[in-house]
Amino acid sequence: MNSSVQGDLSINPTVTIKQLTQRQDSDEMQQIEELDEVDGQVTAVASNQPTFTLMNERSGQSFTISVDTNTVYEDFSRAGCTASPADISCVKLGQILDVDLSENGMGMMFAKRVEFEEDANREAIKGTITSVECAMQQFHMVVFNEEPTVSGISEGSPVVVTIQPNAVFQVGGEELSEDGGFTISGASFSSCTDLMVGQDVQIRPGTVSSSGGVPTVTTDLVRLWPSQITGQVGAINTTTGTFTLTGLSSLFTGASPTITTINVVTLSKMRFEDFSGLSSLTPGNTVSVRGLLFNTPGTPTLVTRTMRGHTED
């Protein structure tokens, strides 16, 4: 720095600073992985280098994203891509993607994982389910993300989703890719009866109407995405890698029927934040777990690879 500041206080050489998304101390209270997982629409694909540009509707920010041979591509068979394994050639202008990002140290974002959500000229809405009415083939959810903006629907608002007779039910690939999947008794996601309060889902919106000020949207696609749930640790079984989660929020305890306990199943390659592992947990600890929530018989089951401990400052 001393050698860069000249006698007239000019600086040579100069450093150009670009606005980047960075973690602040206050971000520690935000959702797990929220800062490196970005939804958006592809606005450009480079022809001479392995990069593409993703526009995030919520922030209005564009990300120039690089990939390499370690980047994992998921669900691009739904886009009609025949490359095996999938690669950057599967990424097309206008697609809606979900990307796990990290900084590559050169002012550009690097994609660890690229998951296909929707084709160009289509829309994707994500929300948290607040009630289910399978007799009417409907569920209610609060929208937390839409790519791109859907007319008549706004983030943070409730919507009623009507499931069309030909609707497809799918599980997002993020939690399945690392070890080829998992087998949990009763953990299915194939119809309205598999839906439950607290699940995060993605829908493909069809017709949007309004009744009593609440939008109703039809869908022919319901995809299960990881939910984040905070509670207190109950019984622990370190041998099976499972524990119960109690002290749940009113979203669960106020549901009908009431949900007071969730069984948590940990998978391989777990990511523990703020504590060393399952063996360090004790009953009564407050933790946040992020994973796929299934409406298994008796007690719901959450399958996770990411867990954060909570400590008092």
Side-chain angles (χ1 to χ4, degrees):
M1 182 179 295
N2 286 338
S3 61
S4 296
V5 179
Q6 308 302 306
D8 60 358
L9 298 185
S10 63
I11 298 176
N12 184 27
T14 60
V15 178
T16 300
I17 304 296
K18 293 185 178 180
Q19 181 179 355
L20 300 174
T21 300
Q22 72 177 65
R23 183 181 293 271
Q24 305 290 338
D25 290 342
S26 60
D27 292 332
E28 292 303 321
M29 298 303 295
Q30 297 188 30
Q31 291 192 355
I32 298 171
E33 292 189 352
E34 181 181 23
L35 297 177
D36 64 355
E37 185 174 314
V38 177
D39 286 287
Q41 191 164 30
V42 179
T43 57
V45 181
S47 59
N48 58 349
Q49 55 185 333
T51 64
F52 63 92
T53 303
L54 197 71
M55 171 69 176
N56 177 256
E57 184 71 32
R58 175 185 295 178
S59 66
Q61 188 172 357
S62 289
F63 297 86
T64 300
I65 300 169
S66 63
V67 300
D68 65 10
T69 55
N70 294 317
T71 301
V72 176
Y73 298 82
E74 296 176 346
D75 286 345
F76 278 89
S77 59
R78 295 176 50 233
C81 183
T82 58
S84 182
D87 55 26
I88 185 65
S89 67
C90 297
V91 176
K92 304 296 182 185
L93 195 67
Q95 286 176 338
I96 300 171
L97 307 178
D98 181 87
V99 184
D100 280 355
L101 297 175
S102 64
E103 293 186 52
N104 68 357
M106 300 178 65
M108 185 177 289
M109 306 305 291
F110 170 76
K112 298 176 290 184
R113 181 189 63 87
V114 181
E115 183 164 355
F116 173 81
E117 291 189 358
E118 276 298 346
D119 282 310
N121 303 317
R122 286 187 168 177
E123 300 150 326
I125 299 175
K126 290 181 181 177
T128 302
I129 296 178
T130 57
S131 66
V132 181
E133 301 169 351
C134 286
M136 301 178 64
Q137 288 296 295
Q138 288 184 337
F139 63 91
H140 297 237
M141 72 177 190
V142 175
V143 175
F144 61 77
N145 184 266
E146 50 182 338
E147 295 287 347
T149 299
V150 179
S151 178
I153 295 178
S154 57
E155 292 185 12
S157 298
V159 298
V160 179
V161 180
T162 298
I163 305 169
Q164 295 179 335
N166 62 339
V168 175
F169 285 74
Q170 298 175 338
V171 178
E174 179 180 359
E175 296 293 328
L176 303 178
S177 63
E178 295 185 45
D179 60 7
F182 51 84
T183 300
I184 304 293
S185 177
S188 63
F189 194 75
S190 58
S191 69
C192 182
T193 57
D194 294 319
L195 300 177
M196 63 169 288
V197 167
Q199 286 175 332
D200 283 357
V201 295
Q202 171 200 334
I203 67 167
R204 178 191 296 145
T207 303
V208 179
S209 58
S210 181
S211 177
V214 178
T216 296
V217 56
T218 62
T219 188
D220 63 356
L221 173 68
V222 183
R223 301 186 75 206
L224 182 64
W225 284 86
S227 303
Q228 177 174 303
I229 301 172
T230 299
Q232 281 74 52
V233 175
I236 306 170
N237 188 327
T238 55
T239 301
T240 60
T242 62
F243 65 93
T244 59
L245 196 66
T246 63
L248 304 174
S249 72
S250 58
L251 175 64
F252 296 100
T253 59
S256 181
T258 298
I259 301 170
T260 59
T261 303
I262 293 175
N263 292 325
V264 178
V265 177
T266 60
L267 299 176
S268 62
K269 301 181 182 179
M270 279 291 298
R271 296 183 293 272
F272 295 102
E273 300 181 17
D274 301 328
F275 67 106
S276 58
L278 198 63
S279 61
S280 65
L281 285 181
T282 58
N285 287 158
T286 299
V287 296
S288 292
V289 289
R290 184 178 186 274
L292 299 171
L293 180 61
F294 291 96
N295 189 19
T296 47
T299 303
T301 299
L302 186 139
V303 183
T304 184
R305 279 198 178 90
T306 306
M307 189 184 313
R308 168 181 289 172
H310 290 252
T311 57
E312 295 184 4
D313 294 330

